[in-house]
Amino acid sequence: TFTYNKEAHTYTLLESAYYTISNNSATDAGRYEAVVSIKNTVNYEWADGTNTDLLYEFVINKAKVETPTANTGLVYNGLEQTGVNEDERYTIEDGKATIAGTHIAKVTLKDNYEWLDSSFDGYVMWTISKATYDMSNVAWVYEGPYTYNKAEQGVTLTGLPEGVTVKNYIIASATNAGTYTARVELQYDSSNYYPVSVDPITWEIKKVKLDMQDVAWNYTNAFAYNGSKHTVVLTDVPSEITVTYTDNEATNAGTYVAVATFAYDTNNYT
């Protein structure tokens, strides 16, 4: 017997001028019959007294092919990658892919070949692992603590890698004084990359300290009765404060105690 090797194999018989040999050469795997025919059957016959053609069987076995194996260590990179290498002895379906995940390649032998491992079913599982975003440069931008200024203030992220964007900030900005914890929801290619996240940050807007240093009553000396109303008020009161007075006006002579009551935004001022 022979084994397929892409070359012609010849079943060798003793040649003679009395007969011809045909069909004794083949290339493809299979079972064949070489034919030996007497040239002149009128005058010649075989030793057994017959003159019919003699048939000699020969076989070319299929070449053995080792089971293909999957390429390992593949990581998503946005490009097409090969999970099962091509080979002239077989065809491959789904042996290449771009996206991360587990893939199954179908391997089909071409004619003249057979698997060395007869139990191989023709399917090879291979994997492209998810990639990892480089989050090493990601940081919160926080130049605080801030001081209340009636405007919106807050924190943002910087250093996000390509492919990662902010989907939503949560409590990352505010106007009023207080202590906040900011979080962020990120948007990215979750099919091909491992999850990413950023730790929350605590940030603060401090209350404004009202400057009461120059606040004083506009009363320096006692008034003289003149039949008119006399009034005392505070001066240099910060504009953020509303003053309500009690007993700060009088007409008749006497001693009075004026009381000033302050009202202001206690959430943002102190």
Side-chain angles (χ1 to χ4, degrees):
T1 60
F2 305 101
T3 299
Y4 175 77
N5 63 359
K6 296 190 289 187
E7 297 180 357
H9 293 284
T10 300
Y11 185 74
T12 304
L13 294 166
L14 181 64
E15 295 185 359
S16 171
Y18 300 106
Y19 53 77
T20 60
I21 303 172
S22 61
N23 298 332
N24 66 325
S25 181
T27 300
D28 292 335
R31 190 175 297 275
Y32 300 91
E33 288 184 333
V35 180
V36 180
S37 304
I38 294 176
K39 292 180 180 180
N40 184 351
T41 57
V42 175
N43 297 307
Y44 296 95
E45 61 184 15
W46 299 117
D48 62 0
T50 65
N51 61 8
T52 57
D53 292 346
L54 300 180
L55 303 178
Y56 294 87
E57 184 179 86
F58 68 97
V59 175
I60 300 177
N61 291 322
K62 292 183 177 182
K64 301 287 186 181
V65 180
E66 293 185 354
T67 302
T69 56
N71 293 326
T72 58
L74 302 178
V75 178
Y76 175 78
N77 60 8
L79 304 175
E80 185 178 70
Q81 301 186 71
T82 299
V84 180
N85 293 330
E86 296 179 351
D87 192 291
E88 64 176 5
R89 298 170 294 179
Y90 45 75
T91 60
I92 303 174
E93 296 178 38
D94 301 322
K96 295 182 179 181
T98 301
I99 63 174
T102 298
H103 307 274
I104 299 176
K106 181 181 179 181
V107 184
T108 304
L109 282 171
K110 295 180 179 180
D111 292 340
N112 300 309
Y113 297 99
E114 63 184 1
W115 296 118
L116 181 62
D117 179 2
S118 60
S119 66
F120 176 57
D121 63 1
Y123 293 93
V124 179
M125 185 178 295
W126 61 283
T127 301
I128 297 177
S129 298
K130 289 185 177 183
T132 301
Y133 286 111
D134 181 5
M135 301 289 284
S136 60
N137 293 321
V138 178
W140 288 100
V141 178
Y142 174 46
E143 299 174 352
Y146 305 116
T147 300
Y148 174 74
N149 62 4
K150 300 182 182 180
E152 187 175 71
Q153 302 180 82
V155 295
T156 57
L157 280 180
T158 186
L160 288 173
E162 183 178 356
V164 180
T165 57
V166 174
K167 180 179 180 181
N168 185 36
Y169 282 115
I170 302 169
I171 317 180
S173 62
T175 302
N176 292 328
T179 300
Y180 304 92
T181 299
R183 295 176 174 82
V184 64
E185 293 180 359
L186 298 176
Q187 186 166 293
Y188 58 94
D189 182 0
S190 59
S191 297
N192 294 303
Y193 287 86
Y194 287 114
V196 291
S197 62
V198 177
D199 290 338
I201 183 174
T202 299
W203 62 285
E204 182 181 10
I205 299 176
K206 288 184 173 295
K207 293 182 179 183
V208 175
K209 184 175 179 62
L210 294 172
D211 184 3
M212 302 292 286
Q213 182 176 347
D214 296 327
V215 176
W217 291 100
N218 66 344
Y219 175 73
T220 54
N221 296 303
F223 299 112
Y225 174 78
N226 61 5
S228 299
K229 183 187 296 183
H230 295 280
T231 303
V232 293
V233 294
L234 291 174
T235 61
D236 294 321
V237 177
S239 61
E240 294 83 5
I241 297 177
T242 300
V243 182
T244 301
Y245 295 99
T246 302
D247 296 332
N248 72 320
E249 295 179 338
T251 301
N252 295 325
T255 299
Y256 303 90
V257 177
V259 177
T261 303
F262 299 139
Y264 59 93
D265 180 359
T266 57
N267 291 323
N268 295 304
Y269 295 93
T270 183

